[in-house]
Amino acid sequence: MAWHSISARETVQKLETNAETGLDEVESGRRMQQFGPNQLEEKEESLIEEILEPFKEPMMILLIITGILYSFLGEPQDAIAIFTIIVIIGIVETIQERRAESAVKRLKITIKPRAKCIRNGRERVLAGTELVPGDLILLEAGDQVPADARLVDALDLETGEAALTGESTAVEKDPYATIKENAVIGDQQSMAFFGTTVMRGKASAIVVATGMRTELGKIAKAVQEAEESPTPLQQKMKQLTLWFVLISVILCALVVIVGIVKGEPPLDVILFGLSLAVSTIPEDLPIILIVCLVIGVRRMAKRHALIKRLYAVETLGTTTVICTDKTGTLTQNKMTVTDIFAGGATTKLGRSKSGIPAIASMVLKIGCLSNNARIEHPATESVEVIGDPTETALIQACIDQGLDPLALSKQFTRLGEVPFDRKRKRMSVICKSATTAEIHVYMKGASESLISCSTRWMPGTKLDAIVPIDDEARTMILDTQKSMASAGLRVLSVGYKPLESFQTTKDTPTIEQGIIFVGLVGMADVPRAEANPAIAECIQGGVKVVMITGDHKDTAIAIAKAVGIDGKQKALTGEELDGMSDLQLENTIKDISVFARVVPEHKLRIVRAFKKHGDIVAMTGDGINDAPALKEADIGVAMGASGSDVARDAAAMVLADDNFATIVYAMKEGRRIFDNVKKALRYYIASKIAVMATAIIATIVGLPIPLLPIQIILMEVLTDIVASSAFQSEVPEPDVMARPPRIKGVFVLDRRTQARVFANGVTVASGVLVVFSATFTSGGTVEKARTMAFATLVLAIIFLAVNNRSEKRPLFRLGMISNRNMLVSGVLGFGVTFIAIMLPPLQPLFKTVTLGAMDWLFIFLAAAISTFWNEIPKLFNKNLNAIKV
């Protein structure tokens, strides 16, 4: 239905509702059953689809083929072992994926938007999900439109529709406009759309579409159908896997050919080659990465950092610039009135109700009247003021000084309002006194804006002493405002003027001219206690912090200094930014750490300028207009508590607590994750090389096959998946935030690390072969030699995992129990191996024989020598050894 092309009356008739009283509860309940909740649905895979997804991977397909071959050529238990591995891998990936999705859903439950709705003639505040077609909703400046709605009545209504149309300027709305049926969204002036923001004015409207039937829902459906590209790290891991497959297949085929040529039984050699392929082909390399990332993501979620897109974890470790909002992120977002300048003097406010000068009291009254905050529970002790932080501070100051905001609202009836907007930077209300019937305009706003409208002022403490305002007075007021802002205060000006009569706010310029300036209000937004140490960590880690705020330049600089942002760098205002070309901004942006008096549209230019310098940029935002900058940034960070749905959808990470320290924690966690991914890969690849080198060297030197298929399979199950996952429990390296960010695009295993991995694999293989050949050539049976080799390989790889816990700190500095998951996996791996070797009923299955105490001593010595040589260089790393974690 083209609701925009019919009148509001026709809309009401077609939806069988009422434009004054709305729906009743019975009817709204019936429609909820018919249309469902008003929310954007997510494309969900069924459990069967999620279970089958891992088996589409090429490596899993290869493993299945290997299992089938074992079923025909080998013994049943060998085939069972391989298919057990396949099932384990599928279960692990499915569980982790579902946990990640569950974390996203849990956060979304906590951030439901609210809507003002009229039902049964009574105004109610509902969760946005409870709206149904036919509901009568109320909209005002700052609201997010909770559903697609046909306007019934509107006053100076403008909405921001960038999320739908890409148009950054606000769109004027007119419920009485005549619009063609085929008009595009941007021309549908009689409609308000789900997900857009009311920038100015007020309106009432009838809901015509909810959930996925809205225009935003149609876009969401199209987005869901687009597949997300793999991250650069995933692509590099896939390349590494393919190279490993190629090398493994060639070397395994070589082992089989050489074995057959040397006279080994063909079936035994073929089965050994297949087992070797199973062990050396890195079929679970992608799983290790997924497990590592998901465990880290779950850890972040517990600290209020929700990662929505996998690439965000990768980007966190490479971030070089964080562009952050001030209010609520670096500060507590709890404004408190501390200073009032009026009558040429400054009054300091406290909680005591000892009394303030009459003119200061007048300042608070004007601030209270030109205000849309509301008081909850006024008749109880738990009074709560709800609304914009600046406006709630003014209401709270009145209460603290013994003034009654509710009594004021009854005494002065509001006749009209000129809402705040970014261009005017002020708000005006028109009120009529119940006692005198006089009509006044009461105004609050930015000092430079209000003074430009003022023609008179009150220089003294007498309320009737009003004189023309001259340039000297203007300069004095602005100097005072600058001084207050320099002290870190947010400063508003207030004023008023009498009106002879009032009809409409349409004639805004006339209403807002000739104002009597009364005074300045200074408010403090105290920095969060954790902001300073978090910023210090960023600076230490080579990450630049840039503060972006709509506050006055002096206020912004004062707050920046208070939280530890580089005070030596420059501050730039939005006006100065508008006067610069993109090239000029790119040339100067490295010297700027504070952007003041900016609007959301400026953020996009800031992001692009930093990216031109090769920086990896994290950008915070909460509004719809922030969405373009959040998407443009390398990692967009949305506010979960105060942000809009559109901002959260555009971001790669959501802060559930809107706290800057959470960004820094997530960045630190991102570095930790990739340190641990590097450790896991280093261990994993070294273990593969060890198995491969054992087989190749034994074949070349003419030794019998050192390991049997079932032994290789057991080693695979015990070590690879369990120990690799345990690396993600490793504590951060002590220098995790004392080194520059990782260079984006560089693979986690550099050449130096690759050489070390190869050396580890070869030395482990050497230890295994020494044990095997020494046992075999000294008169031991081939069964005993294989048992010894099997035990040595498992134990050496367990030692290798423990040894790879840190690249820089020796094991005795880490502590044996600091990573309990690693300890448990090591004990479990050795315990199962010991039982498989020493328990007679299991010996036929695993082709093992009983070993004596001296045999085990030999195994332990060989495994330790072949791995713990890595600890020697760590002993000389004095700087890190001195750091305790």
Side-chain angles (χ1 to χ4, degrees):
M1 181 71 193
W3 300 102
H4 59 273
S5 64
I6 64 175
S7 69
R9 177 178 293 181
E10 290 177 286
T11 301
V12 169
Q13 292 173 348
K14 287 183 178 294
L15 290 174
E16 298 179 0
T17 185
N18 189 295
E20 294 181 357
T21 61
L23 298 173
D24 59 38
E25 294 298 336
V26 175
E27 180 62 19
S28 62
R30 188 190 68 79
R31 296 190 186 192
M32 176 60 71
Q33 291 182 343
Q34 178 183 356
F35 295 102
N38 176 36
Q39 59 188 17
L40 299 183
E41 299 171 2
E42 294 188 2
K43 183 180 179 182
E44 292 188 6
E45 291 183 329
S46 66
L47 180 59
I48 298 298
E49 289 176 321
E50 290 189 8
I51 291 174
L52 294 177
E53 188 65 30
F55 298 97
K56 298 176 184 178
E57 295 290 333
M59 295 305 98
M60 291 289 281
I61 294 172
L62 182 59
L63 196 59
I64 292 170
I65 293 172
T66 304
I68 293 172
L69 290 175
Y70 263 96
S71 300
F72 289 102
L73 300 177
E75 297 182 12
Q77 60 265 33
D78 296 338
I80 291 172
I82 291 177
F83 284 114
T84 299
I85 290 176
I86 294 172
V87 171
I88 290 173
I89 292 173
I91 290 173
V92 168
E93 185 168 350
T94 301
I95 290 174
Q96 298 294 356
E97 185 67 26
R98 289 183 74 86
R99 282 179 177 175
E101 292 174 357
S102 176
V104 174
K105 289 177 183 177
R106 279 198 300 272
L107 182 78
K108 288 189 174 181
I109 289 173
T110 66
I111 53 178
K112 290 180 180 178
R114 300 198 300 175
K116 289 186 282 291
C117 175
I118 293 179
R119 285 187 179 171
N120 286 333
R122 296 174 59 190
E123 182 177 335
R124 297 179 54 190
V125 178
L126 304 175
T129 54
E130 297 180 35
L131 292 180
V132 295
D135 264 328
L136 176 62
I137 59 174
L138 304 177
L139 303 172
E140 59 184 30
D143 286 349
Q144 184 180 83
V145 180
D148 283 4
R150 175 60 167 85
L151 297 174
V152 175
D153 191 18
L155 175 63
D156 299 334
L157 186 68
E158 294 183 0
T159 62
E161 298 183 349
L164 290 176
T165 66
E167 177 59 50
S168 60
T169 58
V171 179
E172 292 186 7
K173 295 295 182 177
D174 181 0
Y176 308 108
T178 302
I179 304 169
K180 296 180 180 178
E181 186 172 343
N182 61 351
V184 297
I185 292 174
D187 293 336
Q188 295 179 20
Q189 292 176 279
S190 60
M191 296 289 296
F193 296 103
F194 184 26
T196 62
T197 298
V198 179
M199 310 301 290
R200 183 172 183 261
K202 294 182 177 182
S204 61
I206 298 293
V207 173
V208 297
T210 57
M212 298 302 286
R213 289 173 289 275
T214 63
E215 294 297 331
L216 189 63
K218 296 172 186 177
I219 295 174
K221 185 177 181 181
V223 171
Q224 290 170 6
E225 292 172 353
E227 295 188 3
E228 192 168 315
S229 301
T231 73
L233 182 65
Q234 286 176 306
Q235 293 172 345
K236 287 182 180 294
M237 292 287 273
K238 188 172 183 179
Q239 293 172 4
L240 177 64
T241 301
L242 292 174
W243 275 106
F244 228 105
V245 168
L246 180 62
I247 295 171
S248 298
V249 169
I250 293 174
L251 293 178
C252 291
L254 181 63
V255 168
V256 171
I257 293 171
V258 172
I260 293 175
V261 170
K262 292 177 60 178
E264 296 278 357
L267 182 59
D268 290 347
V269 174
I270 291 172
L271 289 177
F272 174 69
L274 287 172
S275 301
L276 190 61
V278 170
S279 180
T280 56
I281 290 176
E283 76 287 338
D284 47 1
L285 192 57
I287 306 302
I288 290 175
L289 177 61
I290 291 173
V291 170
C292 290
L293 294 179
V294 170
I295 289 175
V297 166
R298 288 173 58 199
R299 206 157 44 219
M300 290 185 200
K302 291 178 181 178
R303 292 284 296 271
H304 309 297
L306 178 72
I307 301 297
K308 292 180 55 190
R309 296 176 177 85
L310 194 61
Y311 75 79
V313 182
E314 185 174 350
T315 307
L316 281 168
T318 62
T319 300
T320 58
V321 174
I322 300 177
C323 295
T324 176
D325 291 322
K326 175 186 73 68
T327 304
T329 309
L330 293 174
T331 63
Q332 297 179 15
N333 197 19
K334 294 180 180 179
M335 301 300 297
T336 302
V337 177
T338 60
D339 296 66
I340 294 177
F341 173 80
T346 299
T347 301
K348 295 285 184 180
L349 297 191
R351 286 282 179 175
S352 65
K353 300 179 181 180
S354 57
I356 57 176
I359 192 166
S361 181
M362 184 177 183
V363 169
L364 289 181
K365 289 178 181 178
I366 294 173
C368 186
L369 290 171
S370 56
N371 199 308
N372 285 320
R374 67 182 187 275
I375 299 176
E376 298 282 345
H377 319 298
T380 67
E381 292 184 2
S382 58
V383 176
E384 183 180 4
V385 186
I386 299 174
D388 175 81
T390 300
E391 296 194 330
T392 59
L394 289 166
I395 298 288
Q396 188 62 54
C398 283
I399 295 172
D400 293 341
Q401 297 304 318
L403 302 174
D404 188 346
L406 293 177
L408 279 174
S409 65
K410 292 178 181 178
Q411 182 182 352
F412 296 92
T413 304
R414 184 178 294 193
L415 303 179
E417 174 186 338
V418 184
F420 176 88
D421 67 37
R422 295 194 307 271
K423 293 179 181 179
R424 291 167 39 256
K425 296 181 181 178
R426 57 182 180 262
M427 170 193 184
S428 300
V429 298
I430 298 89
C431 295
K432 182 177 182 179
S433 171
T435 55
T436 65
E438 293 178 337
I439 300 174
H440 288 86
V441 177
Y442 297 107
M443 179 189 293
K444 74 174 189 301
S447 298
E448 57 267 35
S449 173
L450 195 140
I451 289 177
S452 69
C453 301
S454 300
T455 56
R456 292 174 291 170
W457 76 304
M458 303 168 67
T461 58
K462 294 182 179 181
L463 301 185
D464 57 353
I466 301 172
V467 300
I469 189 169
D470 55 22
D471 290 342
E472 183 179 352
R474 287 192 175 93
T475 300
M476 185 272 293
I477 293 169
L478 290 175
D479 285 345
T480 302
Q481 182 269 333
K482 185 175 181 180
S483 176
M484 293 170 72
S486 298
L489 300 181
R490 177 181 293 181
V491 185
L492 288 178
S493 293
V494 300
Y496 79 102
K497 84 167 185 178
L499 289 179
E500 292 184 3
S501 63
F502 172 75
Q503 297 295 327
T504 176
T505 58
K506 285 289 185 180
D507 196 12
T508 299
T510 302
I511 292 174
E512 293 191 331
Q513 292 301 317
I515 296 295
I516 301 169
F517 177 87
V518 179
L520 304 173
V521 181
M523 308 178 192
D525 185 6
V526 180
R528 289 179 180 263
E530 58 272 28
N532 220 304
I535 289 174
E537 276 196 291
C538 287
I539 295 171
Q540 185 183 28
V543 180
K544 179 177 180 177
V545 180
V546 177
M547 188 177 81
I548 300 176
T549 178
D551 275 344
H552 191 277
K553 183 176 182 179
D554 295 325
T555 304
I557 292 173
I559 295 293
K561 289 180 179 178
V563 297
I565 291 177
D566 191 353
K568 296 180 181 178
Q569 292 204 314
K570 300 176 183 177
L572 196 68
T573 66
E575 185 178 355
E576 292 169 333
L577 189 62
D578 288 334
M580 299 173 68
S581 67
D582 288 342
L583 182 60
Q584 288 174 318
L585 179 59
E586 292 163 19
N587 291 335
T588 60
I589 198 162
K590 296 296 284 186
D591 299 323
I592 300 168
S593 59
V594 175
F595 289 89
R597 276 290 192 257
V598 299
V599 295
E601 289 79 3
H602 288 133
K603 288 186 175 183
L604 188 59
R605 290 190 66 196
I606 294 169
V607 170
R608 287 173 174 169
F610 274 117
K611 289 179 73 172
K612 282 282 187 179
H613 278 272
D615 283 302
I616 308 301
V617 184
M619 169 65 77
T620 69
D622 56 7
I624 287 183
N625 287 341
D626 290 331
L630 294 176
K631 281 187 173 293
E632 181 74 18
D634 295 283
I635 176 167
V637 182
M639 303 297 110
S642 62
S644 66
D645 286 343
V646 174
R648 287 191 288 266
D649 289 341
M653 183 169 81
V654 176
L655 302 183
D657 59 357
D658 293 7
N659 192 340
F660 178 81
T662 303
I663 304 175
V664 180
Y665 167 79
M667 186 171 60
K668 185 193 300 184
E669 189 62 37
R671 293 189 181 192
R672 172 187 178 183
I673 288 172
F674 275 85
D675 278 353
N676 291 341
V677 165
K678 183 176 180 179
K679 295 169 187 177
L681 291 180
R682 198 169 60 210
Y683 154 76
Y684 179 81
I685 296 174
S687 67
K688 297 296 183 186
I689 293 174
V691 176
M692 193 182 300
T694 299
I696 293 171
I697 295 172
T699 302
I700 292 174
V701 301
L703 291 172
I705 295 173
L707 297 166
L708 295 177
I710 192 62
Q711 295 169 348
I712 294 176
I713 296 297
L714 180 61
M715 184 276 299
E716 175 86 0
V717 173
L718 292 178
T719 60
D720 290 350
I721 296 178
V722 178
S724 296
S725 300
F727 278 106
Q728 278 310 312
S729 299
E730 196 59 56
V731 297
E733 294 286 355
D735 66 339
V736 68
M737 287 300 290
R739 59 178 187 255
R742 183 172 55 87
I743 300 174
K744 190 173 183 180
V746 176
F747 190 47
V748 288
L749 300 182
D750 53 32
R751 291 187 177 181
R752 176 177 169 274
T753 304
Q754 291 170 18
R756 183 178 170 186
V757 166
F758 183 78
N760 271 305
V762 172
T763 54
V764 168
S766 301
V768 172
L769 289 172
V770 166
V771 171
F772 178 78
S773 60
T775 304
F776 184 64
T777 56
S778 63
T781 63
V782 69
E783 288 79 10
K784 181 177 181 180
R786 284 171 176 161
T787 302
M788 296 279 286
F790 169 54
T792 305
L793 179 61
V794 172
L795 194 60
I797 288 179
I798 291 173
F799 286 169
L800 189 62
V802 174
N803 177 256
N804 273 274
R805 287 180 55 196
S806 176
E807 189 176 3
K808 300 170 182 177
R809 288 179 295 161
L811 187 58
F812 74 89
R813 291 283 184 187
L814 291 171
M816 290 299 295
I817 63 172
S818 60
N819 186 339
R820 294 182 180 180
N821 288 347
M822 181 71 75
L823 182 62
V824 169
S825 67
V827 171
L828 178 64
F830 176 73
V832 172
T833 304
F834 186 82
I835 292 171
I837 292 173
M838 302 299 289
L839 194 64
L842 295 179
Q843 289 176 344
L845 176 63
F846 293 103
K847 313 295 189 297
T848 57
V849 298
T850 302
L851 300 178
M854 294 305 295
D855 295 327
W856 282 109
L857 179 60
F858 186 22
I859 290 167
F860 267 90
L861 287 174
I865 293 171
S866 64
T867 55
F868 280 97
W869 59 269
N870 288 281
E871 293 297 304
I872 297 173
K874 301 177 188 178
L875 297 174
F876 298 96
N877 197 339
K878 296 180 180 179
N879 292 334
L880 281 173
N881 290 339
I883 300 175
K884 293 183 179 180
V885 179

